[in-house]
Amino acid sequence: MIELRNVSKLFGQTRAVDAISLSVQTGELCVLIGTSGCGKSTTLRMINRLIAHSAGSIRIDGRDIEQIDPQQLRRGIGYAIQNTGLFPHWTVARNIAVVPRLLGWPAARIRRRVEELLHLLDLAPAEFAAKYPSQLSGGQAQRVGVARALAGDPDILLMDEPFGALDPITRESLQNELLRIQAQLRKTIVFVTHDMDEALKLANRIVVMDKGRIVQQDSPQALLAKPANAFVENLLGGQERGLKQAGLLRVATLMQVLTTAAAPLAGPRIKATDNLRQALSLMLWHRCSSLPVVDEQGRQVGVLRLDALLDRPR
Amino acid sequence: MSLPLRSNRVIPLLALLALALLWCLDFVSIQPNRIAPGSGLGLLAALGPVWALLLTGLLLACGLLALWSPRPTYGPILALVWLLLLQLPASLAWSIERHIGADLPYARVGIGAGCWSLLFLLGLLLIELQQRLGLSRVWLLGSAVVLALLLGWLAGQGWLEPLALLREYQSRRSQFAAALSSHLALVGAAVGASLLFGGAIALLLQRYPRAHKGSIGLLSFIQTIPSLALFGLLIAPLSYLSAQFPALQQLNIRGIGWAPALLALIAYSLLPIVRNTCVALQEVEAGVIESARGMGMSPAQVFLQVRLPLAMPLIIEGVRVTSIQAIGLTAVAALIGAGGFGTFIFQGLGQSAMDLIILGALPIIVLALLADGLFSLLGEGFSSGARR
């Protein structure tokens, strides 16, 4: 668990972070979001002491981080940044092995760990272990960046706009990857982004920051339902809020279940695991007010009606 | 005639120039003895019609191959240039064979301007081809080495005996060895010391960036002092020190000799080393340093494992520039009695013995080329991992 209490950071006369209090529960994926210069990155980097905080206290699992040697602290916290920050003169395997080597693991264990992580991030070890960062695509490099952050098996992961420089398709696949890994490993993750869609997709809790202060912190659903002020509303995309909210809900939650599964007739259909936003888009496209819902095997398990979307309680 | 778009115009131009110079200038010159004035021999007179026409044909073929094929075929051109290069020592031996008989035991053959021009232009052609074909620089170095070996072998066989350059060398073997060792020692010591000091200065400037502008300004100012003036300026203070402290005299530190030369060389070498090292250390991507710190590396680990290795190619580039500069400047240092190949140059100038000058200048050029090649290779080796 990470607890920030009344933490401030002054750069000269400017208050980059202004007395914020925040606690991130173990296993939670907490997203810090805001416009550039709002202090979200500074907040993140105070947690692993890359930036020293000016006032307040930061505790990790109850221990004040100022009591911990900064290098020891950082070796226990995974760190991934935008543009990867991979070491260009080292191979992928050597890059991933940085923290385990710093921790003094035996060579055999490091080798096993590197291989395990390459598998976890869907990179074939035989193909990628010996490559240099310049030989990787942006998405592959970022996967290596995430693998490197996970290498020392830290409980906490700090991610500073890790997918910010990627194209939308690669970004989405890496977001899915992160969700999959998180479901598997249950790390405590603090994730900085300026992309609300990314925040809504990944977060258990979203912390909206503006001018060094926390404006609102809530679950994605609650944030969409009740934005605290115009700034948050604006960040949520104003008129597109409805769609964003629909994007968070699965078709299965609103469909009318069929008692007997059967193959549906030809025509548009939607999977139970898709979200309502995709369902709505399909309805608009095909000009229909109901869609057959199918499972992974393509058998119809229910029907989704437009009415159900409209009648949904707030 | 409209030239095809893809044709290479550099190679035909160089080949044509080589051809013109070869025919207009003397290929070799012959002196009956060291003092008597020499008489120049043109290409035809020196080599005879067959060899002269062969050379002309080869050069024309180079130019035409580059010009006429829609996509120039550099492979065959490279082979032709190689052939031309390797026939140079043979052509010298051949012209000696043709003109120097047993009746002229003291005769000397000087290498003429035409021959030098051909060598120079062939060098340019090789560089052009090396870049077009994307060959490594080792290739150029290798060509030079093969040429030198061939020359050495022919000289060993006694076929180049009357070559003036060789005669000058043979009467100065031990001086040549001494000049080589003192030249190398001066350059090595100067580059080594300035790498040490320059590295230290660059590290200090990293820590105190405010001093950056002033320090670089001072070093740039030193760079603008003419080398001879700097050598001269150091004579007075060193003479004084040496007179005051007899211990210094035992180390052979005097107003003239190796001490002022070394000091001046170090002063000149500091700028390229400090500037390159500073830039190299600063240019390392901020994100890489940030993530190194974020992973929990200590400041020493960040420097030794990340910053320094990534800066290495540029630092070596600085050492390369410095070495070449020092090799050239050491020639001037001969004027204040520091030894080295400059000694031959200035002796030759005094005696107006052209071949003695060349005996001093040629090794300096070769040393500079060697330093260039070696440090380029080293730099490439260091950056190979970081590049594609």
Side-chain angles (χ1 to χ4, degrees):
Chain A
M1 189 164 88
I2 309 167
E3 292 163 284
L4 283 75
R5 212 168 292 159
N6 286 320
V7 173
S8 296
K9 175 66 197 177
L10 287 108
F11 289 114
Q13 289 301 308
T14 41
R15 258 176 201 279
V17 174
D18 191 3
I20 64 168
S21 294
L22 170 72
S23 64
V24 183
Q25 303 302 318
T26 305
E28 190 178 27
L29 201 166
C30 172
V31 173
L32 304 181
I33 190 169
T35 50
S36 47
C38 70
K40 55 191 193 298
S41 274
T42 307
T43 305
L44 187 84
R45 286 148 82 182
M46 286 193 291
I47 297 174
N48 65 359
R49 293 188 64 182
L50 279 177
I51 296 177
H53 53 280
S54 315
S57 76
I58 301 176
R59 291 168 177 277
I60 290 177
D61 294 331
R63 279 182 74 191
D64 193 318
I65 59 166
E66 286 187 304
Q67 308 301 319
I68 311 172
D69 172 67
Q71 276 134 41
Q72 292 303 326
L73 175 77
R74 290 173 198 150
R75 286 170 198 178
I77 298 178
Y79 187 52
I81 59 173
Q82 194 178 2
N83 296 325
T84 73
L86 292 179
F87 304 117
H89 57 309
W90 286 343
T91 60
V92 165
R94 180 80 173 77
N95 262 288
I96 296 175
V98 168
V99 174
R101 284 172 75 117
L102 288 171
L103 293 172
W105 291 10
R109 184 174 167 203
I110 294 178
R111 222 174 20 250
R112 272 202 312 277
R113 180 68 180 156
V114 168
E115 203 155 304
E116 187 183 37
L117 283 165
L118 283 171
H119 278 303
L120 182 71
L121 270 300
D122 215 13
L123 297 163
E127 189 187 344
F128 288 99
K131 280 196 173 171
Y132 284 93
S134 60
Q135 296 169 302
L136 304 175
S137 72
Q140 289 164 349
Q142 201 49 262
R143 278 164 197 265
V144 176
V146 174
R148 184 175 65 169
L150 288 167
D153 203 12
D155 295 326
I156 296 173
L157 215 54
L158 304 180
M159 307 182 91
D160 194 352
E161 299 197 34
F163 311 142
L166 302 174
D167 64 87
I169 295 170
T170 313
R171 189 185 316 160
E172 196 176 331
S173 84
L174 268 160
Q175 287 165 355
N176 292 335
E177 207 86 335
L178 181 64
L179 284 174
R180 179 176 65 79
I181 292 169
Q182 173 63 354
Q184 208 174 323
L185 304 178
R186 287 274 148 218
K187 303 284 182 192
T188 306
I189 301 178
V190 183
F191 189 107
V192 163
T193 183
H194 58 254
D195 177 357
M196 186 50 96
D197 286 313
E198 185 165 74
L200 290 170
K201 179 168 181 177
L202 296 177
N204 300 119
R205 185 149 52 105
I206 296 178
V207 178
V208 182
M209 290 185 68
D210 186 29
K211 298 186 190 102
R213 291 173 168 277
I214 292 178
V215 182
Q216 186 176 7
Q217 46 175 318
D218 250 322
S219 71
Q221 287 289 358
L223 197 75
L224 275 164
K226 284 202 191 91
N229 60 19
F231 176 78
V232 180
E233 212 174 310
N234 204 7
L235 213 58
L236 284 165
Q239 292 174 328
E240 291 201 27
R241 259 167 74 195
L243 286 176
K244 289 199 165 143
Q245 194 176 25
L248 293 177
L249 289 174
R250 291 197 167 178
V251 167
T253 56
L254 283 186
M255 72 179 182
Q256 199 179 339
V257 182
L258 283 190
T259 41
T260 51
L265 303 170
R269 65 195 66 183
I270 188 137
K271 276 193 224 147
T273 50
D274 286 341
N275 62 45
L276 291 177
R277 182 182 181 147
Q278 289 164 310
L280 202 56
S281 171
L282 263 170
M283 288 179 186
L284 284 172
W285 183 254
H286 291 285
R287 315 282 193 280
C288 57
S289 58
S290 73
L291 284 172
V293 180
V294 296
D295 62 9
E296 291 297 329
Q297 283 78 41
R299 288 170 310 188
Q300 185 173 0
V301 290
V303 177
L304 180 71
R305 295 181 201 289
L306 187 57
D307 297 348
L309 265 79
L310 303 180
D311 294 343
R312 184 166 55 101
R314 283 207 176 267
Chain B
M1 188 181 83
S2 71
L3 297 174
L5 255 180
R6 291 238 198 86
S7 74
N8 181 314
R9 293 171 201 200
V10 177
I11 293 175
L13 196 73
L14 288 175
L16 217 61
L17 194 62
L19 205 59
L21 292 175
L22 206 53
W23 279 95
C24 295
L25 300 173
D26 290 340
F27 193 74
V28 290
S29 67
I30 292 176
Q31 286 172 283
N33 53 53
R34 190 172 187 231
I35 304 157
S39 54
L41 294 178
L43 183 66
L44 207 57
L47 295 176
V50 178
W51 202 304
L53 282 178
L54 204 68
L55 273 184
T56 311
L58 284 174
L59 279 171
L60 278 178
C62 278
L64 290 182
L65 271 177
L67 207 55
W68 266 337
S69 32
R71 182 175 280 181
T73 43
Y74 293 112
I77 303 177
L78 184 66
L80 288 182
V81 171
W82 250 73
L83 199 64
L84 278 163
L85 203 63
L86 294 186
Q87 66 79 42
L88 268 180
S91 70
L92 284 176
W94 174 239
S95 58
I96 288 166
E97 177 72 27
R98 270 170 59 93
H99 296 281
I100 310 291
D103 53 324
L104 290 169
Y106 303 110
R108 302 166 147 245
V109 175
I111 301 171
C115 195
W116 286 122
S117 313
L118 183 61
L119 178 64
F120 175 65
L121 289 166
L122 287 176
L124 289 185
L125 278 171
L126 263 188
I127 291 172
E128 165 76 7
L129 287 166
Q130 174 241 345
Q131 281 172 355
R132 293 280 169 178
L133 287 167
L135 300 171
S136 152
R137 285 171 99 137
V138 192
W139 231 93
L140 286 180
L141 218 59
S143 306
V145 168
V146 170
L147 187 66
L149 285 178
L150 192 64
L151 265 171
W153 182 74
L154 282 174
Q157 300 292 313
W159 286 344
L160 296 175
E161 183 80 46
L163 211 58
L165 197 59
L166 217 59
R167 293 226 155 140
E168 294 290 349
Y169 168 71
Q170 259 149 7
S171 60
R172 287 182 178 76
R173 267 168 196 264
S174 61
Q175 287 169 309
F176 190 88
L180 178 66
S181 63
S182 63
H183 207 106
L184 283 181
L186 265 180
V187 170
V191 173
S194 42
L195 190 59
L196 219 64
F197 294 134
I201 294 175
L203 286 183
L204 282 175
L205 290 182
Q206 286 287 106
R207 184 150 294 187
Y208 308 103
R210 274 193 204 166
H212 192 271
K213 214 173 162 188
S215 316
I216 295 286
L218 179 67
L219 292 175
S220 304
F221 170 70
I222 294 176
Q223 204 80 1
T224 62
I225 305 175
S227 52
L228 202 53
L230 191 55
F231 289 136
L233 280 176
L234 285 169
I235 291 178
L238 279 171
S239 309
Y240 174 77
L241 280 177
S242 147
Q244 292 292 310
F245 304 100
L248 290 178
Q249 282 173 18
Q250 305 215 317
L251 288 169
N252 218 357
I253 294 178
R254 295 200 208 96
I256 59 168
W258 65 267
L262 185 60
L263 281 180
L265 285 175
I266 292 173
Y268 282 121
S269 303
L270 280 176
L271 177 70
I273 292 213
V274 170
R275 198 164 45 191
N276 268 54
T277 309
C278 275
V279 170
L281 292 174
Q282 281 161 9
E283 292 286 276
V284 177
E285 202 190 318
V288 173
I289 300 297
E290 154 113 6
S291 61
R293 291 180 60 214
M295 301 280 124
M297 285 192 189
S298 68
Q301 285 168 327
V302 172
F303 183 80
L304 290 176
Q305 297 187 17
V306 181
R307 203 187 274 275
L308 193 61
L310 288 175
M312 217 47 175
L314 255 185
I315 295 177
I316 288 177
E317 175 66 17
V319 175
R320 185 182 72 89
V321 171
T322 308
S323 308
I324 294 171
Q325 181 184 281
I327 288 170
L329 283 174
T330 303
V332 186
L335 278 180
I336 53 166
F341 286 119
T343 323
F344 294 149
I345 298 182
F346 294 115
Q347 270 178 21
L349 284 171
Q351 305 171 6
S352 44
M354 195 59 204
D355 297 300
L356 190 52
I357 298 175
I358 293 174
L359 186 68
L362 213 54
I364 293 175
I365 297 173
V366 171
L367 280 183
L369 288 176
L370 269 178
D372 177 58
L374 286 178
F375 284 116
S376 300
L377 276 182
L378 201 62
E380 274 172 35
F382 263 104
S383 57
S384 62
R387 275 184 328 197
R388 190 169 287 266

